[in-house]
Amino acid sequence: MNPTTDSASDSSLDLPDPSAPASGAEPVMLDKAERPSVLGKLRTLVQEKTRFEPKDITPLAEDDALQDFSLQANFVLEARFENRIINGYFKPSPGDQHCDAHEVGALAIAQGKERLRLAAARLETALQQSDHAYDTVKEGAYLLHAVKYWHLDDCSPCHGKGRIRCSTCHGSRQETCWKCHGGRTVSCDAYGCYGSGKVSCSYCSGSGTVSEQVTDYVTVQVPTTTYENGNSHTTYHTETRTQYRTVSRNCSHCSFGKVTCNSCHGAGNVNCGTCLASGSISCRTCSGLGDLRCNPCEGSGQQGDASWADIHVVPDYSVSLPKQAPEDARRIRDKEGVHSLAAIASSLALAKVSIYDSDHPQEVDALYAGKLRIVRLDAACNEEKHHLVAYGTDLRWLTMDDIVEKLLRGDLKALSDALAGSADDGLFSAQVQGLLRPLHDVAASELNADVIESILRGETDHAHVDVVSPDYAQMVRTCVLGALRQVYTRLAKQFWWKSALAALAIALATWFVAGRGTAAFAGLVTVAGGYLLFNRKVKSVLQEALGGESQAERAMQIAGKGRRNQLAQVLILAPATAAVLAASMGLPTRVRAPAPPQPVIASASVEPHPPTIALQDASMPKAVKLYENGDKVKALAMLETLVKDGEVEAYGLYGWMQLMGEGQRQQGNVSEQQRKARQVTAKPWITKALPKNDSYALTAKGVMMAEGWQEPRNMPRALDYLKQAAQKGNVNAMHMLGLYHVRGYQTPVNNKEARKWFTMAADKGSAGDIYNLGLMDWEGAGLKRPDRTSAMQRWKIAAGMGEERAIKAVAQGKP
């Protein structure tokens, strides 16, 4: 039980608000002359929805009567008993009663009968008040309890103390460490160690050997054969050639691929950090207190029950008519329902209130007498008689005898006949006057336009569903869209040859002045202009027929949504466009006189383009050697010679150097436009080299997909390409893999993977990646703690290889 529970008294009775409107009171009755007129409402509807005028409606007979009906409100009262478990925090209200444990529920049940009788009496009194609306009483609690019966005893689990002994530490406040289980040490969890005391060497990746490339210079005898007077003579000369081979040597940094673990220093285990090597920790269940608050009593030391009775009400409403009530009155009752009928009733007053005494439940019935206005009108229009029924204070239509639809069908039939007649005019008929008058009569009705618009929007129910039938709405759509299609098509037959002739003339005139390409462009612009003029012509014709600019625009929108103007568009655009394109293709190209040569002005600010390095003995191994030795300008020049000669093996490295801008003599910062130009230039070479599984092409493809250069960004596939290249020994791929993983670029940060790829690149002799490994050691990335001694050793090695960042780091003692 919530300690802040309130106890309500009898004053909580749900009585009506005196300031609320009295829906059950007798409304002020209007004189018959002051009541709204059904005839006036009908005339307004006909005037708004059809082309007929109010004077065209002639009344024949009218019956304006008040129909009696009864509205019965039945209120079922029910005593609902509540029982709650409470504790020592319970604060009784002044009216609540303390009792024995066995009396709590019995007293509350005994209270329920008296509360039911009291609720029924008060509800009867409230209903008989003159300002009480029939539907004021809402479903739910009507009369809340006046008293709560309660009892409290000492809590059994804690014996009234409010706290119980901790089941984990049994009051000792300490528990065995869950990490080391009391042993005070745990296995070393450093990467590669896992309790062994040794980890794999980062230089040889645990193999114990490293590979390096050795250059040999071999002297060979090269024969030269000459031919003279039909005889051949062979001479020999010596030539030194370069050969490369890979040798393996023992790694100098480890012993058989293993080094001592820096975390456990070879011991295989470390002190437990959870319990600080003590073997025990503070009890997590009681937070070291030794006991816990008792849950049943929430620490109060007492526990018991409280019971009471609330009275709830469930209202139900029904409407009944006299046995002699006409059929249209019964239709109105079934259509509107209880509350809607009460809202539009001319009067509604309380007749009597009845109470039905019984133990469970008690019922209170209220009977209201009401009157509903029903008007029956017989009228004639367009030589046809109609019977209409309206009801309520706001005169809602029960039946309209389809008067609006019958008035509009005559205009719709005239338009349908005109469409049928236009089908027999022939293929080349271009007259539209016969369609404009019936189209004007149909479209003059706002109802027809609304119906067409709602159907074209795909709505389930068309507009004015209560006024016209679905069959009529579909007929309106078919006839109006058919008429608009005929108007578009026939006007297009009058206009298409004019548009084609004008476009052809403009194209020829432009050809004499500016040439064939400009002539085609000018002709197409003229075609577009002709289409705009055609639309203006259609709008003008529809505006005259429909009687306004807004009506014409709406009709054109309807035609566009119904796709009834497609044939007209083809007639206007296709012949003119075909004429322009045929003429522009058939016209000869105009040759301009050559421009006089311009003098070349030397400028000191313009650097001459470096001459292309032409090498007679260019080969792919030499180009690779130049690239790996850092002479990238000569390597790029040699690769240009090779790709011009169709050397497929050169495509990959050439594409990579173009992509990254290596070997190009450019001064200053490179603009974004220049970078994109490089990417466009490199992509064809990379694409040609990929089928050969060239490692440089695979690397370039991976970088392009990772960075989104000329390729959709796809990091998983990019990493796959880079891994394929790295497995082929490409140092650039190893470097990029390490870089992407250590930075977390488009992929989660993974220091373990980054260190792996940087180590492989460093073993290949990459000074930059040796520096990167030192930087990871300095920051402790992938290690349990930073190792700055190892970092400085790596930087000294990279500095000896000429890495500028390493030289600077060694000099200043930090990166």
Side-chain angles (χ1 to χ4, degrees):
M1 171 62 69
N2 193 320
T4 60
T5 302
D6 295 331
S7 177
S9 64
D10 290 346
S11 60
S12 62
L13 183 64
D14 188 8
L15 295 177
D17 184 2
S19 61
S23 63
E26 183 76 21
V28 178
M29 296 297 295
L30 298 176
D31 294 337
K32 189 172 183 178
E34 296 177 349
R35 295 180 184 179
S37 171
V38 176
L39 179 60
K41 186 175 182 179
L42 175 61
R43 285 176 169 171
T44 302
L45 177 65
V46 170
Q47 183 180 20
E48 290 178 351
K49 303 304 180 184
T50 71
R51 63 183 180 86
F52 292 90
E53 298 296 330
K55 61 183 180 180
D56 296 330
I57 303 295
T58 303
L60 301 179
E62 181 177 357
D63 178 22
D64 192 342
L66 292 176
Q67 174 64 49
D68 294 328
F69 68 93
S70 299
L71 189 153
Q72 184 173 6
N74 174 255
F75 304 97
V76 178
L77 298 174
E78 179 186 3
R80 297 188 182 180
F81 301 98
E82 300 289 341
N83 189 18
R84 296 287 187 272
I85 297 176
I86 61 175
N87 53 44
Y89 296 116
F90 173 73
K91 300 297 182 183
S93 299
D96 296 342
Q97 294 184 14
H98 179 269
C99 58
D100 293 336
H102 64 278
E103 295 179 339
V104 173
L107 291 174
I109 293 174
Q111 184 195 25
K113 296 181 180 180
E114 180 60 29
R115 301 297 290 173
L116 275 173
R117 287 192 290 269
L118 178 60
R122 292 197 174 188
L123 180 56
E124 178 186 19
T125 303
L127 291 172
Q128 290 177 347
Q129 294 179 5
S130 60
D131 59 350
H132 191 278
Y134 80 95
D135 58 348
T136 299
V137 179
K138 304 300 180 183
E139 181 176 359
Y142 185 76
L143 185 63
L144 299 179
H145 55 275
V147 61
K148 290 181 180 177
Y149 300 95
W150 60 277
H151 177 79
L152 285 172
D153 287 323
D154 287 341
C155 178
S156 298
C158 65
H159 305 289
K161 297 179 181 179
R163 300 189 70 84
I164 58 177
R165 187 178 182 184
C166 177
S167 60
T168 302
C169 65
H170 304 289
S172 65
R173 303 183 181 183
Q174 297 285 326
E175 65 171 317
T176 303
C177 176
W178 59 270
K179 183 71 174 179
C180 65
H181 303 288
R184 301 185 180 183
T185 60
V186 294
S187 296
C188 178
D189 59 354
Y191 174 73
C193 179
Y194 304 118
S196 66
K198 298 289 184 178
V199 296
S200 297
C201 175
S202 61
Y203 290 93
C204 64
S205 299
S207 64
T209 59
V210 293
S211 300
E212 63 180 8
Q213 195 174 52
V214 177
T215 304
D216 295 331
Y217 298 96
V218 180
T219 301
V220 298
Q221 295 290 331
V222 179
T224 302
T225 303
T226 59
Y227 295 90
E228 184 178 357
N229 298 327
N231 298 321
S232 62
H233 178 68
T234 301
T235 59
Y236 295 87
H237 66 277
T238 60
E239 185 176 297
T240 301
R241 294 184 178 178
T242 304
Q243 292 183 350
Y244 304 99
R245 58 189 176 89
T246 301
V247 298
S248 298
R249 60 176 177 81
N250 292 332
C251 179
S252 60
H253 299 86
C254 65
S255 175
F256 300 103
K258 297 292 183 179
V259 296
T260 301
C261 176
N262 290 329
S263 297
C264 63
H265 303 289
N269 52 31
V270 294
N271 289 335
C272 177
T274 303
C275 63
L276 300 179
S278 65
S280 62
I281 59 173
S282 178
C283 179
R284 293 170 291 170
T285 304
C286 63
S287 301
L289 297 176
D291 59 3
L292 300 169
R293 187 181 69 171
C294 178
N295 283 333
C297 66
E298 296 184 359
S300 66
Q302 291 182 312
Q303 187 178 14
D305 299 305
S307 296
W308 62 91
D310 292 333
I311 306 302
H312 287 248
V313 63
V314 179
D316 184 42
Y317 304 96
S318 61
V319 171
S320 59
L321 294 170
K323 292 183 179 180
Q324 67 275 15
E327 180 61 27
D328 51 12
R330 300 184 186 279
R331 290 173 55 194
I332 293 170
R333 179 195 62 184
D334 297 339
K335 177 182 178 182
E336 293 295 336
V338 176
H339 299 294
S340 177
L341 201 63
I344 62 175
S346 299
S347 64
L348 188 65
L350 180 66
K352 67 175 182 177
V353 178
S354 302
I355 298 179
Y356 300 95
D357 290 327
S358 61
D359 290 341
H360 291 89
Q362 266 192 338
E363 296 185 12
V364 179
D365 286 347
L367 184 63
Y368 294 86
K371 294 183 180 295
L372 177 67
R373 183 187 179 193
I374 301 179
V375 182
R376 302 170 181 86
L377 174 66
D378 292 324
C381 183
N382 197 25
E383 301 180 354
E384 222 179 310
K385 294 181 180 180
H386 304 277
H387 177 72
L388 302 95
V389 179
Y391 60 94
T393 54
D394 54 357
L395 289 181
R396 303 179 183 182
W397 294 110
L398 177 64
T399 175
M400 297 183 64
D401 199 26
D402 297 332
I403 183 172
V404 174
E405 180 177 333
K406 291 177 180 178
L407 293 176
L408 294 175
R409 279 187 180 272
D411 296 335
L412 195 62
K413 185 176 184 305
L415 179 59
S416 178
D417 293 341
L419 284 173
S422 64
D424 299 330
D425 290 348
L427 181 63
F428 299 100
S429 177
Q431 297 299 321
V432 296
Q433 298 303 322
L435 291 170
L436 297 182
R437 171 50 59 184
L439 177 61
H440 173 271
D441 291 341
V442 172
S445 169
E446 189 71 17
L447 181 145
N448 289 336
D450 292 345
V451 168
I452 298 171
E453 186 68 23
S454 63
I455 293 176
L456 292 179
R457 283 198 300 264
E459 297 175 356
T460 305
D461 293 330
H462 62 81
H464 310 287
V465 67
D466 294 330
V467 180
V468 296
S469 64
D471 293 339
Y472 174 81
Q474 187 62 32
M475 187 181 298
V476 169
R477 177 184 183 276
T478 302
C479 290
V480 172
L481 291 182
L484 290 176
R485 178 175 58 186
Q486 287 290 341
V487 170
Y488 265 98
T489 304
R490 294 188 173 216
L491 289 177
K493 292 177 182 179
Q494 300 176 10
F495 197 83
W496 72 268
W497 62 272
K498 301 176 183 178
S499 175
L501 186 60
L504 186 59
I506 293 295
L508 291 174
T510 307
W511 173 77
F512 280 106
V513 177
R516 188 167 64 180
T518 308
F521 176 75
L524 294 177
V525 171
T526 306
V527 172
Y531 180 70
L532 294 177
L533 290 176
F534 168 72
N535 280 334
R536 290 185 61 183
K537 175 65 175 176
V538 173
K539 182 178 179 181
S540 175
V541 171
L542 292 177
Q543 182 175 344
E544 180 180 355
L546 302 180
E549 182 178 357
S550 61
Q551 290 85 346
E553 290 177 351
R554 187 168 185 177
M556 294 177 70
Q557 292 175 359
I558 290 173
K561 290 181 180 180
R563 299 182 180 180
R564 293 306 191 271
N565 57 354
Q566 287 185 342
L567 180 58
Q569 291 174 345
V570 172
L571 288 175
I572 295 298
L573 297 176
T577 303
V580 170
L581 294 179
S584 61
M585 295 298 292
L587 291 173
T589 303
R590 294 181 57 82
V591 181
R592 296 184 180 182
Q598 299 293 328
V600 178
I601 302 176
S603 175
S605 61
V606 179
E607 181 182 353
H609 191 277
T612 302
I613 302 176
L615 301 177
Q616 298 296 331
D617 55 344
S619 64
M620 189 58 194
K622 289 184 178 180
V624 172
K625 189 64 178 179
L626 289 171
Y627 178 82
E628 292 176 349
N629 290 337
D631 196 351
K632 297 182 179 180
V633 175
K634 289 184 178 180
L636 182 61
M638 186 174 291
L639 288 170
E640 289 177 350
T641 302
L642 293 172
V643 296
K644 288 179 181 178
D645 294 337
E647 184 67 37
V648 178
E649 294 180 356
Y651 290 168
L653 180 56
Y654 181 74
W656 167 257
M657 295 185 71
Q658 289 289 346
L659 179 69
M660 306 305 293
E662 296 180 347
Q664 300 180 7
R665 299 178 180 178
Q666 294 181 346
Q667 298 179 357
N669 295 328
V670 179
S671 65
E672 186 66 24
Q673 185 177 2
Q674 290 173 324
R675 287 193 184 94
K676 289 184 178 180
R678 289 175 179 174
Q679 298 162 15
V680 173
T681 303
K683 185 175 181 180
W685 301 107
I686 296 169
T687 304
K688 292 178 181 179
L690 276 177
K692 300 292 184 180
N693 285 328
D694 184 273
S695 65
Y696 290 101
L698 292 170
T699 304
K701 185 72 172 180
V703 172
M704 291 173 72
M705 298 189 76
E707 302 291 342
W709 293 346
Q710 303 296 312
E711 293 280 353
R713 180 167 285 158
N714 189 333
M715 200 63 190
R717 291 195 62 194
L719 294 177
D720 183 60
Y721 277 114
L722 290 172
K723 288 178 181 178
Q724 293 181 44
Q727 291 170 359
K728 291 179 175 293
N730 192 293
V731 178
N732 293 322
M734 300 173 188
H735 171 76
M736 296 306 298
L737 283 168
L739 205 60
Y740 285 147
H741 282 102
V742 77
R743 292 180 177 176
Y745 181 76
Q746 301 289 327
T747 189
V749 174
N750 191 333
N751 291 322
K752 175 183 175 182
E753 280 291 305
R755 182 176 290 276
K756 167 189 170 182
W757 295 113
F758 281 149
T759 301
M760 293 177 65
D763 292 340
K764 292 286 186 179
S766 173
D769 293 301
I770 296 175
Y771 172 82
N772 289 335
L773 283 172
L775 195 61
M776 293 184 71
D777 290 343
W778 183 272
E779 296 175 352
L783 302 176
K784 193 168 185 179
R785 60 180 62 88
D787 189 351
R788 299 190 171 179
T789 302
S790 175
M792 191 59 66
Q793 292 176 353
R794 294 183 192 273
W795 289 340
K796 288 179 181 179
I797 296 173
M801 300 173 68
E803 173 60 37
E804 294 181 359
R805 295 175 297 172
I807 295 172
K808 183 177 179 181
V810 171
Q812 62 187 14
K814 61 181 181 179

